[in-house]
Amino acid sequence: MLELRPTCENCNKALPPNSLEARICSYECTFCATCVENALENVCPNCGGGFVPRPIRPSKNWKGDNFLGKDPASAKVRHRPVDSEVHMRFAAAIKTIPPQVR
């Protein structure tokens, strides 16, 4: 079950459960679209993976109790600003590795 983390780990921008701006990696590290595109170059600073849009959990109980009311979003903030110089070197190194090998 996705945590649906509440903010961007880099800039701390609010990312509510219905945000179209939330991006996650396969470990659910969460960043806003602006940081992913501009600061991170689509490379997760925590694992080196790429990002995809975070799914939106339904707010209404359409079927089988699979909704925010039963499985609410996390309230735990993980604000860990990225050192841009260190990340640029890391991202450059990651990008030299073919995607299927990363």
Side-chain angles (χ1 to χ4, degrees):
M1 176 79 53
L2 291 176
E3 287 182 49
L4 302 178
R5 296 176 184 169
T7 64
C8 173
E9 292 181 30
N10 185 50
C11 72
N12 214 30
K13 177 182 180 178
L15 297 170
N18 64 347
S19 175
L20 297 175
E21 297 294 312
R23 302 290 183 265
I24 59 173
C25 73
S26 65
Y27 286 98
E28 208 177 335
C29 301
T30 304
F31 295 89
C32 68
T34 300
C35 284
V36 166
E37 294 164 12
N38 299 325
L40 304 177
E41 296 186 11
N42 199 39
V43 175
C44 178
N46 302 320
C47 72
F51 292 96
V52 296
R54 182 180 70 189
I56 295 175
R57 187 170 299 149
S59 60
K60 295 185 181 197
N61 185 10
W62 298 111
K63 185 176 182 183
D65 284 339
N66 296 310
F67 73 114
L68 277 170
K70 182 173 180 290
D71 297 307
S74 174
K76 182 178 179 183
V77 172
R78 295 176 185 201
H79 186 216
R80 302 179 283 196
V82 175
D83 180 318
S84 60
E85 288 183 26
V86 171
H87 183 70
M88 288 303 110
R89 288 192 299 272
F90 177 64
I94 290 293
K95 288 181 176 188
T96 66
I97 303 166
Q100 64 273 22
V101 179
R102 291 182 201 167

